[in-house]
Amino acid sequence: MFTGIIETVGHIARTEPRGGDLRLCVDSGALDLGDVKLGDSIATNGVCLTVTGLTGSGYWADVSQETLACSTLGELVPGAVVNLEKAMQPSGRFGGHMVSGHVDGIGRIVGIRDEGRSVRYRIEPPPGLGRYIANKGSITVDGVSLTVNGLEGDSFELNIVPHTAEQTIISRYREGHRVNLEVDLVARYLERLLQGDDTQSGSAGMTQEFLAQHGFGGRGRR
């Protein structure tokens, strides 16, 4: 489990295709690996990767076909910068929100504009993911825990303050850039719980009608 509070920015040192899979070597920069051992997890651009080797300046990790299919890790080349966060310790501060490191899909930057000292980014999620994204709710973008500051059609907006821009790779985003998205865990589990046995009959998911049938959103309800 992670918090979405990025510890440092590293870069891809080496990539090795392995029969359809991929092996990544990450230079972890200022990330302290003194307490990291083989089998531990490090979120790399929001993807939970298992450390399979330590190099002294970073770590190796294997990336499966499944992970390559639903994240941007396969697009990274040596020198590409990545957000890094070690798995949360029970005694640590919970500064962001619950992040599993299991990416739900790839979004695309479709708009960037200055807003005072901050920068406003508009992101288009892949089809089907938008229903889990709520105004003022939490979302993880390339491993960064962020607050949704607006919804516009099928896209959502984020307000990035200078500190976040300085501590992550977000300031490098340009229109068209692809990013890893992980929606709030609570939204995913709520849908599954409300569906119940309906999932066996091909339910289309959480809709306004579905919520009304289960006692949510009725007129005058408190």
Side-chain angles (χ1 to χ4, degrees):
M1 188 65 68
F2 306 91
T3 67
I5 303 301
I6 301 305
E7 295 183 73
T8 193
V9 171
H11 70 268
I12 302 299
R14 187 174 174 182
T15 63
E16 293 183 356
R18 292 289 180 92
D21 294 340
L22 183 67
R23 194 164 182 246
L24 284 181
C25 182
V26 180
D27 187 318
S28 55
L31 190 68
D32 180 11
L33 298 180
D35 59 348
V36 174
K37 60 184 184 300
L38 299 187
D40 284 352
S41 298
I42 298 179
T44 307
N45 266 10
V47 182
C48 177
L49 296 180
T50 300
V51 175
T52 60
L54 293 167
T55 67
S57 60
Y59 59 93
W60 284 95
D62 292 321
V63 185
S64 68
Q65 290 184 0
E66 169 69 18
T67 301
L68 291 172
C70 64
S71 76
T72 63
L73 290 190
E75 302 171 12
L76 300 179
V77 297
V81 290
V82 288
N83 293 319
L84 301 177
E85 181 192 356
K86 293 187 293 186
M88 179 187 177
Q89 294 183 342
S91 59
R93 292 182 183 274
F94 208 127
H97 71 283
M98 291 186 295
V99 177
S100 69
H102 302 157
V103 172
D104 292 301
I106 298 173
R108 184 170 61 91
I109 307 295
V110 293
I112 303 173
R113 71 178 188 273
D114 292 333
E115 193 169 88
R117 295 178 58 242
S118 300
V119 179
R120 194 91 164 183
Y121 290 85
R122 186 156 57 90
I123 300 178
E124 183 180 79
L129 207 61
R131 69 175 182 265
Y132 301 106
I133 302 171
N135 191 37
K136 302 305 179 184
S138 296
I139 191 164
T140 307
V141 179
D142 276 347
V144 185
S145 172
L146 297 168
T147 300
V148 176
N149 294 116
L151 299 174
E152 183 179 327
D154 294 330
S155 62
F156 63 94
E157 293 192 337
L158 304 169
N159 187 66
I160 305 300
V161 298
H163 177 78
T164 302
E166 292 167 3
Q167 300 299 316
T168 69
I169 66 173
I170 292 178
S171 64
R172 297 172 171 84
Y173 294 166
R174 299 294 181 266
E175 289 194 24
H177 189 93
R178 286 154 53 90
V179 293
N180 296 319
L181 300 179
E182 179 185 335
V183 299
D184 194 340
L185 284 170
V186 175
R188 290 191 301 193
Y189 282 114
L190 177 60
E191 179 181 49
R192 184 65 180 91
L193 287 168
L194 289 176
Q195 283 179 340
D197 291 339
D198 288 346
T199 56
Q200 304 301 320
S201 58
S203 172
M206 191 188 305
T207 63
Q208 186 173 354
E209 292 75 19
F210 182 88
L211 289 172
Q213 291 173 9
H214 289 79
F216 292 86
R219 180 178 298 176
R221 201 172 177 85
R222 295 290 185 270

